[in-house]
Amino acid sequence: MKSSRLALFVIPAVLMLPLAAQADAPGLQAVGVGVSLAQSPYAGADTSLSLLPLLTYEGERLFVRGLRAGVHLYQGNGFGLDVIVAGRFDGIDADDFGREELADNGIDRDLLDDRDDGIDLGLHATWKGTLGELQGSAKGDVSGASGGYEVSLEYGYPVALAGATVTPSVALSYLSGGLADYYYGTLNDEESRGVARYRPGSVVVPSLALSVSQPLGERWLLNGEASYQRLPGRLADSPLLDGDAGQFGVKVGLSWLFD
């Protein structure tokens, strides 16, 4: 599975969280359309622009929020714990690398394999209070792509501003060696063909984001997010990447809210 094929069916979950928070009764909460602009870290790969459908469903136990679906294990007193299934769309087809850019890094593109997208299974916890919202997750690949796992912690503080909700947030993500090596390093088969070995190992990746949720009348909701991710040196130095440690992304969605 590649991100170019799956992007038509999903939208990053951050656009859907304000919708879920407004849910008063179980059922379909919202449908809409979104646009995602993402800068690829891979050498010679194009920045992706995707038109994406939006869907939010909230049941008493089951939920679907964009990239994430799951089951509520516990909800109460500002704390929630869920079992989640989430897509990981970090993959790339070998043909989507830039041949010249890889050659500058000492790699023949014809010797590379695809990096597949994955499916993660894990736990997600949320704490909400007067000081903001803290989210933590631990999830691992169950699709046979990387076989790695990620542990992340995110803090956000929503602020009401001119009728909108503005939420700055900061996050840290720990990528296991298996996960980082698969998407940012070289693979065994590639090395057997003559590609120089590069394995970054486990790393911590920091990121910043600013999201906005703006109601438009009684039925429409406009959501947007701008994000920045800083790749640590061991990832930015990968011969598969273009050497730019900073990665930007923008997401915008417009949704119709049901009763």
Side-chain angles (χ1 to χ4, degrees):
M1 295 182 294
K2 306 299 185 293
S3 56
S4 58
R5 301 169 191 167
L6 293 175
L8 295 177
F9 303 99
V10 293
I11 185 71
V14 66
L15 293 182
M16 309 310 296
L17 293 180
L19 299 175
Q22 296 184 14
D24 295 322
L28 184 63
Q29 302 299 321
V31 295
V33 65
V35 174
S36 175
L37 179 67
Q39 179 185 7
S40 174
Y42 292 113
D46 295 330
T47 296
S48 64
L49 178 63
S50 302
L51 183 65
L52 308 168
L54 306 179
L55 172 67
T56 299
Y57 171 84
E58 289 287 332
E60 293 184 2
R61 296 292 301 275
L62 300 175
F63 64 88
V64 178
R65 302 172 191 166
L67 286 179
R68 179 182 299 166
V71 178
H72 297 304
L73 296 180
Y74 176 81
Q75 298 282 313
N77 298 321
F79 175 77
L81 180 64
D82 305 322
V83 174
I84 60 169
V85 177
R88 180 176 295 276
F89 302 99
D90 297 330
I92 182 173
D93 289 328
D95 290 343
D96 290 336
F97 284 99
R99 184 179 296 277
E100 293 183 0
E101 289 82 357
L102 280 181
D104 289 341
N105 293 342
I107 290 184
D108 181 351
R109 189 180 71 178
D110 294 334
L111 302 180
L112 294 183
D113 293 328
D114 298 338
R115 267 65 177 173
D116 292 336
D117 294 327
I119 299 175
D120 291 342
L121 175 67
L123 294 173
H124 181 264
T126 303
W127 297 267
K128 297 180 180 179
T130 57
L131 297 180
E133 180 174 301
L134 185 65
Q135 301 185 57
S137 66
K139 53 188 180 180
D141 175 51
V142 294
S143 64
S146 71
Y149 65 90
E150 176 183 2
V151 178
S152 63
L153 189 65
E154 178 181 353
Y155 169 75
Y157 189 82
V159 178
L161 183 64
T165 300
V166 180
T167 306
S169 61
V170 59
L172 291 174
S173 296
Y174 172 84
L175 309 184
S176 72
L179 183 62
D181 291 347
Y182 182 75
Y183 288 111
Y184 298 95
T186 55
L187 308 178
N188 289 333
D189 288 345
E190 296 169 342
E191 293 161 7
S192 67
R193 300 181 196 122
V195 176
R197 179 184 175 90
Y198 188 85
R199 304 291 175 92
S202 60
V203 294
V204 175
V205 180
S207 60
L208 300 171
L210 181 68
S211 63
V212 179
S213 177
Q214 174 66 64
L216 302 176
E218 295 182 356
R219 293 293 185 185
W220 293 98
L221 186 68
L222 178 67
N223 288 286
E225 184 203 55
S227 61
Y228 173 79
Q229 179 177 260
R230 181 73 177 179
L231 299 181
R234 280 183 290 163
L235 298 187
D237 292 342
S238 168
L240 301 181
L241 273 58
D242 61 8
D244 187 355
Q247 306 298 322
F248 292 91
V250 176
K251 310 175 188 75
V252 179
L254 181 65
S255 297
W256 171 266
L257 307 180
F258 293 92
D259 289 331

